[in-house]
Amino acid sequence: MTNTRDDVVNAAGRLFAERGYHGTSMRDLGRELGLYGSSLYSHVDSKEGLLVEVVERGAQLFDQAATTALESSDDPVEQLRQLIAGHVGVVLGHRSVARTFLNEARALDAAHRTRVIDARDRYEAAFRGVIREGVEAGVFSAPAGVGVAAIFVLSILNALERWYAPSGPLGQEALVEAIHAFAVRGLRAKH
Amino acid sequence: MTNTRDDVVNAAGRLFAERGYHGTSMRDLGRELGLYGSSLYSHVDSKEGLLVEVVERGAQLFDQAATTALESSDDPVEQLRQLIAGHVGVVLGHRSVARTFLNEARALDAAHRTRVIDARDRYEAAFRGVIREGVEAGVFSAPAGVGVAAIFVLSILNALERWYAPSGPLGQEALVEAIHAFAVRGLRAKH
DNA sequence: CCTACCGATCGGTAGG
DNA sequence: CCTACCGATCGGTAGG
């Protein structure tokens, strides 16, 4: 019945993801945990600190997923599959954190927002690198540029939190396969 | 120097797009127009009414674009190009409205939110229909289902507001061509 | 469109 | 973790 600090951070992630940072009050958050808004301050320093913590956790999860994916293989097609699988894993395993990371960074002060933007750019760079290797190996083609191709794939991945229903007809593995097939075809060099 | 009602709605769209509905106060909006927050109420009835107006305008723009696109041709590949071109046109021509429509619907009351969700579903249905026709004509393939394929294409389109820079190296026509090429390849039936 | 103001709610603190 | 409270800000109104 007693709440831990982690309970507070997790509940904050849920509410920030659902209603947005500015749409969530500390009293809302307290209610979610069965206590008063003012009581939250024995667990955390400030509302903005909670947002920073959730967002940094999101950056961490995506960063780890990308690193693991790149280490899994030397083949660009397979690395892309692992990048996609990793992203899907983060979204399905930590949806609120992912949503807050993707959508609420604008509520951060300039310094923390810069950190998030840098983290996203490093993550994107993993996709760019794999696509570039594929192009150099002659298996991919990116007529509009590697950067644009990476954004297209990431657009599909970042949109998942908006529509994917875990209880729906499309399972996690089928989802990964569908995205990978679509991306690899979209990137496929003529042959 | 005097502001019209349209000036107020447009400025509201800009601020809602940049900071979110809950991140924008009526005093912020007044400041943007060079007047006091309370003065806005001689132009509009309420803050939520402003959001409704911006979001409904977004629904209208996307709906019109889809209708025009479908009428432009009978060929699914060409219809898809026109759907993409129409979406890009809305985002580049009315970016704030598009952003607010895409991101701020959750701040609406249940009745208006339902209207937005219905509008989005009708818009998605245009993409589903074109892809379905392409599959039936044997030119497209959608192994994970027509609905999933439509979502993939729309994910790329809906993400545009997050990254596309009109002043960047990729012009509007090249952007449409790049998305269409990626989508058509992603959907292309083996042959 | 401004001045003056309202009740409600905000993030946060003090003291227990 | 609660009680009692703070100053600031919120959406909105009355009257001009």
Side-chain angles (χ1 to χ4, degrees):
Chain A
M1 200 56 203
T2 305
N3 291 295
T4 67
R5 198 193 136 83
D6 262 17
D7 294 333
V8 175
V9 177
N10 288 336
R14 282 199 310 273
L15 293 192
F16 293 165
E18 280 168 30
R19 312 175 190 178
Y21 176 75
H22 290 301
T24 303
S25 74
M26 291 300 271
R27 285 162 178 84
D28 289 337
L29 180 52
R31 206 172 301 121
E32 183 82 2
L33 293 162
L35 43 81
Y36 289 89
S38 59
S39 301
L40 294 166
Y41 291 90
S42 56
H43 292 107
V44 297
D45 285 338
S46 70
K47 187 190 175 189
E48 183 154 11
L50 273 172
L51 178 60
V52 168
E53 205 161 321
V54 174
V55 164
E56 298 270 338
R57 175 108 180 91
Q60 212 174 65
L61 287 167
F62 282 113
D63 183 53
Q64 283 176 6
T67 302
T68 303
L70 294 186
E71 287 169 349
S72 72
S73 169
D74 284 330
D75 172 31
V77 175
E78 179 58 22
Q79 283 180 313
L80 184 59
R81 183 196 305 276
Q82 293 303 326
L83 280 174
I84 291 167
H87 193 110
V88 168
V90 172
V91 170
L92 299 203
H94 307 268
R95 189 156 185 158
S96 296
V97 174
R99 290 185 72 173
T100 302
F101 174 70
L102 291 171
N103 300 323
E104 299 303 320
R106 67 178 170 197
L108 291 168
D109 61 279
H112 285 104
R113 198 168 50 243
T114 299
R115 283 172 57 88
V116 173
I117 290 169
D118 288 350
R120 284 193 199 152
D121 190 59
R122 281 195 302 277
Y123 187 63
E124 252 187 65
F127 285 75
R128 284 196 297 269
V130 165
I131 293 171
R132 188 182 303 112
E133 282 174 34
V135 170
E136 285 164 5
V139 56
F140 288 160
S141 163
V146 166
V148 171
I151 287 173
F152 287 174
V153 177
L154 272 162
S155 296
I156 294 172
L157 293 173
N158 286 334
L160 288 175
E161 53 95 355
R162 299 197 175 207
W163 67 272
Y164 181 71
S167 58
L170 193 66
Q172 179 165 352
E173 286 174 37
L175 175 66
V176 170
E177 182 50 35
I179 298 172
H180 186 249
F182 189 85
V184 165
R185 286 189 188 195
L187 293 167
R188 186 69 75 182
K190 294 276 157 95
H191 47 193
Chain B
M1 201 60 203
T2 306
N3 291 294
T4 68
R5 199 195 136 82
D6 262 18
D7 293 334
V8 175
V9 177
N10 287 336
R14 282 198 312 272
L15 293 192
F16 293 166
E18 282 168 28
R19 313 175 190 178
Y21 176 75
H22 290 301
T24 303
S25 74
M26 291 301 271
R27 285 160 177 86
D28 290 338
L29 180 53
R31 205 173 299 121
E32 183 82 1
L33 293 162
L35 44 80
Y36 289 89
S38 57
S39 301
L40 295 166
Y41 290 91
S42 55
H43 292 107
V44 297
D45 285 339
S46 70
K47 186 189 176 191
E48 182 154 13
L50 274 172
L51 178 60
V52 168
E53 206 161 320
V54 174
V55 164
E56 298 270 338
R57 175 109 180 90
Q60 213 174 63
L61 287 168
F62 282 113
D63 183 53
Q64 283 175 5
T67 302
T68 304
L70 293 186
E71 287 169 351
S72 72
S73 168
D74 284 331
D75 172 31
V77 175
E78 179 58 21
Q79 282 180 315
L80 183 59
R81 184 197 304 277
Q82 294 303 326
L83 280 174
I84 291 167
H87 193 110
V88 168
V90 172
V91 172
L92 299 203
H94 309 267
R95 189 156 183 158
S96 295
V97 174
R99 291 184 72 173
T100 302
F101 173 70
L102 291 170
N103 301 322
E104 299 303 321
R106 69 176 168 197
L108 290 168
D109 61 281
H112 286 104
R113 197 167 52 243
T114 299
R115 283 172 56 88
V116 173
I117 291 168
D118 289 349
R120 284 191 199 152
D121 190 58
R122 282 194 303 276
Y123 187 64
E124 253 187 65
F127 284 75
R128 284 196 297 270
V130 165
I131 293 170
R132 187 181 305 112
E133 282 175 35
V135 170
E136 285 165 5
V139 55
F140 288 159
S141 164
V146 165
V148 171
I151 288 173
F152 286 174
V153 177
L154 272 163
S155 297
I156 294 173
L157 293 173
N158 286 335
L160 288 176
E161 53 94 356
R162 300 199 174 204
W163 68 271
Y164 180 71
S167 58
L170 194 65
Q172 179 165 352
E173 286 175 36
L175 175 65
V176 170
E177 182 49 37
I179 297 172
H180 185 250
F182 189 85
V184 166
R185 285 191 189 195
L187 293 167
R188 185 70 74 183
K190 295 275 159 96
H191 46 193

